[in-house]
Amino acid sequence: MKIGLLGTGNMGRILARKLPAAGHEVKVANSRGPDSISGDVLEKGARATTVEDALANVDVVILAMPSTGFEKIRPLIAALPDDTVLIETSNYLPQRDGHNPALEAGQVESEWVQEFFGRPVTKAWNSIGSDSFERKGQPRGTPGRIALPVAADRARDRDIAISLVEDTGFDGYDAGVIADSWRQQPAAPVYCTDLTREEMGRALALAEKDRLPIRRSLAFDVIMERIGTGNMPDADFLVRVGRTLYM
Ligand SMILES: NC(=O)c1ccc[n+]([C@@H]2O[C@H](COP(=O)([O-])OP(=O)(O)OC[C@H]3O[C@@H](n4cnc5c(N)ncnc54)[C@H](OP(=O)(O)O)[C@@H]3O)[C@@H](O)[C@H]2O)c1
């Protein structure tokens, strides 16, 4: 597929390597321009370009950026053809993104994104930490392969995103419509806990919406306390925190 990818940070740089490796034609952009994109991001065949060009003539657009960057790209996203699949990976972290009154009042994060852009979005890849995403992908059919929930209101968009998730090394799990996608938001049982397809259905069902903000905040404090010691945790620290606090 032809894919436009915005973001070359923790998540974007991994997508920019995995998707071309699976045979997709990927144009990638960040906020600072193509010259700022390092060679390792482009190593598998992604092409560095401007934001405008990344969004032109593609089947799929992936936003691997925090919502704080959405205002700048709003008119470009509004101009996308209706059948372009718009996938967003974002999570609301108030300590990073600032206070969003609608989300604080309990609006589902991707519903807010849909309203913001005035068009359907698909939620994928938001529920895995970048370290697991980089290291733990496996071929289809591998026992114990990690599954990632994918939510969208349009079945075609969801199917395409599921197949792209598969191409990045993870089972794509149909998590239904955007109204239910709070079940994969930060601090839900499936968030950064590296579950398998067999574990996914029950974990989505066990999510409790009212508990997400307090658990997200507890996790933030635990992670910052550890990082603050200067003693950087090992790569699976986030998974251990998630399994302790979210499940
Ligand atoms: N980190 C994780 O483990 C993880 C896992 C799952 C989901 N997520 C979510 O995914 C999103 C991205 O996270 P991240 O950790 O990858 O972020 P990040 O490392 O901070 O990278 C953000 C990227 O977005 C780009 N960007 C920002 N505004 C832009 C704009 N207007 N146009 C084009 N590019 C723009 C930045 O460009 P510059 O490079 O030029 O600054 C940067 O490359 C967040 O919402 C996060 O919560 C993160």
Side-chain angles (χ1 to χ4, degrees):
M1 304 202 90
K2 292 183 179 172
I3 299 173
L5 169 64
L6 299 190
T8 55
N10 296 308
M11 290 303 282
R13 69 184 177 80
I14 304 169
L15 287 162
R17 293 170 57 89
K18 284 181 181 260
L19 291 168
H24 299 288
E25 201 177 304
V26 177
K27 295 189 277 184
V28 61
N30 62 16
S31 72
R32 291 164 296 148
D35 292 344
S36 69
I37 299 178
S38 62
D40 60 311
V41 174
L42 309 174
E43 217 168 49
K44 303 289 180 187
R47 180 165 70 76
T49 186
T50 60
V51 170
E52 290 75 10
D53 182 54
L55 299 182
N57 302 315
V58 289
D59 309 303
V60 175
V61 168
I62 302 175
L63 305 180
M65 54 193 274
S67 59
T68 46
F70 286 175
E71 187 60 49
K72 245 183 166 171
I73 59 169
R74 197 174 193 168
L76 295 168
I77 298 294
L80 289 173
D82 181 61
D83 63 353
T84 305
V85 182
L86 177 63
I87 305 178
E88 65 117 359
T89 66
S90 79
N91 293 306
Y92 173 56
L93 301 176
Q95 296 88 344
R96 178 197 63 192
D97 302 334
H99 183 76
N100 179 322
L103 300 184
E104 294 293 339
Q107 185 174 21
V108 176
E109 291 175 18
S110 289
E111 279 185 339
W112 179 84
V113 179
Q114 288 198 145
E115 277 179 26
F116 183 86
F117 287 125
R119 56 156 297 136
V121 302
T122 300
K123 191 176 193 74
W125 291 296
N126 79 294
S127 66
I128 187 162
S130 59
D131 182 75
S132 290
F133 187 46
E134 183 160 33
R135 287 190 303 121
K136 296 184 181 172
Q138 288 177 306
R140 282 179 178 78
T142 306
R145 195 186 197 211
I146 294 170
L148 304 183
V150 176
D153 290 344
R154 301 194 301 200
R156 173 183 166 271
D157 293 2
R158 200 183 317 127
D159 288 346
I160 289 172
I162 285 174
S163 114
L164 292 175
V165 166
E166 295 277 347
D167 288 344
T168 59
F170 298 86
D171 276 3
Y173 189 94
D174 186 337
V177 294
I178 289 295
D180 291 334
S181 66
W182 60 269
R183 294 180 184 277
Q184 67 191 75
Q185 283 180 189
V190 305
Y191 184 74
C192 294
T193 45
D194 289 0
L195 304 182
T196 63
R197 170 175 293 282
E198 292 70 32
E199 296 167 317
M200 183 60 59
R202 183 161 182 273
L204 285 167
L206 284 176
E208 295 172 89
K209 193 161 187 259
D210 291 348
R211 288 198 139 115
L212 300 185
I214 180 69
R215 289 180 175 184
R216 183 186 65 206
S217 171
L218 287 168
F220 182 82
D221 288 346
V222 168
I223 293 162
M224 292 320 286
E225 188 281 329
R226 181 67 182 270
I227 291 174
T229 63
N231 172 16
M232 280 307 281
D234 65 83
D236 277 324
F237 176 69
L238 284 185
V239 178
R240 291 201 301 278
V241 169
R243 289 184 177 185
T244 304
L245 294 179
Y246 311 153
M247 299 187 81

